């Protein structure tokens, strides 16, 4: 049966590497084959502490996904990234350092892969405004994400698995890993100018374009011309008569809507 398990693993890995079939489908199909044959019984899968599913990890990841999904809707990641670029005064090196620090902190608090996916689009926008190659910035952010994600239990899925198996609490993991991560991050930031030398030349006009970016990520909502108030108990919306409109004039809108000025 162990040979069957190895064969299923190799086939599933090959299919995932080929990228021809969705990874989730391949993983579930492989699991179904292993259970059906049966290479492993359901008790070992769902209830065994040694070989079974680690439900603590599953539900922690689920909770993190919910939190990230909510934060994503607020635009906080885009805000912080653009704010960092403007705080750097448009200097490419300072932008790289600040975005790397933002990425490291974000990856320590949330899942690192998700943090990269949320901040990378803003990085591309900033680099496009500066007319510089975005690859060094993205590479630096990926490095920073991996470094920062190692600091906490929730920063990376392997951290959760290791802590769960070793019986470590969040504070235990933080106490042992955070000092090392801090040292590595300082060294990494110090090496950035050398690692990506020649990637920081930019035109002054391009810097002005970056400084003009809006952290809010959008335009102010258009104001409605005229004050609307609901008629008492009638459900009819009354609109203040615009200046210059004659009394009794009728304005027609879409779908047969009408408004009369009184």
């Amino acid at each position: 049966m162990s040979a069957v398990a190895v064969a299923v693993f190799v086939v599933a890995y090959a299919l995932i590497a080929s990228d021809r079939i969705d990874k989730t489908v391949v993983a579930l199909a492989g699991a179904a084959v292993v259970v059906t044959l049966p290479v492993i019984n359901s008790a070992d899968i769902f209830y065994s502490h040694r070989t079974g599913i680690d439900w603590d990890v599953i539900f922690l990841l689920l909770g993190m996904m919910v939190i990230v999904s909510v934060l994503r809707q607020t635009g906080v990641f885009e805000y912080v990234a653009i704010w960092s670029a403007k705080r750097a005064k448009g200097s490419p090196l300072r932008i790289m350092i600040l975005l790397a620090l933002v990425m490291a902190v974000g990856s320590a608090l949330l899942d690192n892969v998700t943090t990269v996916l949320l901040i990378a689009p803003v990085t591309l926008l900033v680099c496009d405004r500066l007319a510089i190659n975005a690859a060094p910035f993205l590479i630096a952010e990926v490095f920073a994400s991996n470094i920062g994600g190692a600091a906490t239990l929730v920063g990376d899925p392997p951290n959760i698995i290791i802590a769960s198996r070793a019986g470590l609490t969040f504070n235990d993991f933080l106490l042992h890993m955070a000092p090392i991560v801090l040292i590595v991050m300082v060294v990494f930031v110090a090496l950035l100018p050398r690692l990506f030398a020649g990637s920081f030349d930019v035109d002054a006009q391009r810097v002005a374009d970056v400084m003009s970016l809006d952290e809010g990520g959008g335009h102010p909502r258009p104001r409605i011309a005229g004050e609307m108030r609901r008629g008492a108990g009638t459900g009819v919306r009354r609109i203040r008569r615009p200046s210059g409109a004659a009394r009794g004039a009728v304005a027609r809108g879409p779908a047969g809507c009408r408004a009369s000025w009184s």
Side-chain angles (χ1 to χ4, degrees):
M1 286 298 181
S2 59
V4 175
V6 172
V8 171
F9 173 79
V10 171
V11 172
Y13 196 90
L15 290 174
I16 291 174
S18 68
D19 207 23
R20 294 183 177 180
I21 305 176
D22 186 85
K23 293 184 285 292
T24 305
V25 174
V26 174
L28 291 176
V33 170
V34 170
V35 173
T36 304
L37 287 179
V39 176
I40 186 172
N41 59 54
S42 59
D44 291 332
I45 296 173
F46 295 105
Y47 305 111
S48 173
H49 179 72
R50 186 174 64 87
T51 62
I53 297 172
D54 194 327
W55 294 107
D56 292 338
V57 175
I58 296 297
F59 283 105
L60 182 56
L61 287 174
L62 178 62
M64 291 301 299
M65 290 176 184
V66 172
I67 293 173
V68 169
S69 179
V70 172
L71 288 176
R72 183 180 183 180
Q73 299 299 320
T74 67
V76 64
F77 297 99
E78 293 83 354
Y79 177 90
V80 171
I82 294 177
W83 177 86
S84 300
K86 295 178 73 171
R87 290 288 294 179
K89 304 298 183 183
S91 168
L93 176 58
R94 289 199 293 265
I95 289 174
M96 178 181 285
I97 292 173
L98 283 177
L99 288 180
L101 293 175
V102 168
M103 187 69 72
V105 173
S107 297
L109 300 176
L110 303 169
D111 177 59
N112 58 357
V113 175
T114 305
T115 307
V116 170
L117 292 176
L118 291 174
I119 295 183
V122 184
T123 303
L124 294 173
L125 171 64
V126 171
C127 290
D128 180 66
R129 291 294 182 95
L130 291 173
I132 56 178
N133 185 12
F137 291 81
L138 295 176
I139 293 172
E141 289 174 6
V142 170
F143 275 114
S145 175
N146 280 281
I147 295 170
T152 63
L153 187 148
V154 298
D156 206 7
N159 298 1
I160 306 172
I161 298 173
I162 293 170
S164 177
R165 296 296 182 183
L168 298 175
T169 65
F170 186 94
N171 289 336
D172 291 335
F173 199 95
L174 182 67
L175 181 64
H176 287 84
M177 292 300 298
I180 300 173
V181 167
L182 184 60
I183 294 171
V184 173
M185 195 64 198
V186 170
V187 174
F188 174 68
V189 169
L191 289 175
L192 284 178
R194 291 192 176 187
L195 290 173
F196 302 106
S199 302
F200 308 116
D201 297 329
V202 66
D203 184 76
Q205 180 58 42
R206 294 291 184 171
V207 173
D209 290 343
V210 170
M211 297 302 294
S212 68
L213 290 173
D214 178 20
E215 293 94 327
H219 302 285
R221 293 181 180 178
R223 295 184 178 180
I224 300 175
E227 179 181 298
M228 300 183 66
R229 63 183 185 273
R230 185 176 297 276
T234 64
V236 177
R237 293 183 183 271
R238 295 182 179 177
I239 307 175
R240 179 179 295 176
R241 176 168 56 91
S243 59
R247 292 181 179 273
V250 176
R252 296 186 180 274
C257 296
R258 300 192 309 166
S260 61
W261 315 123
S262 56

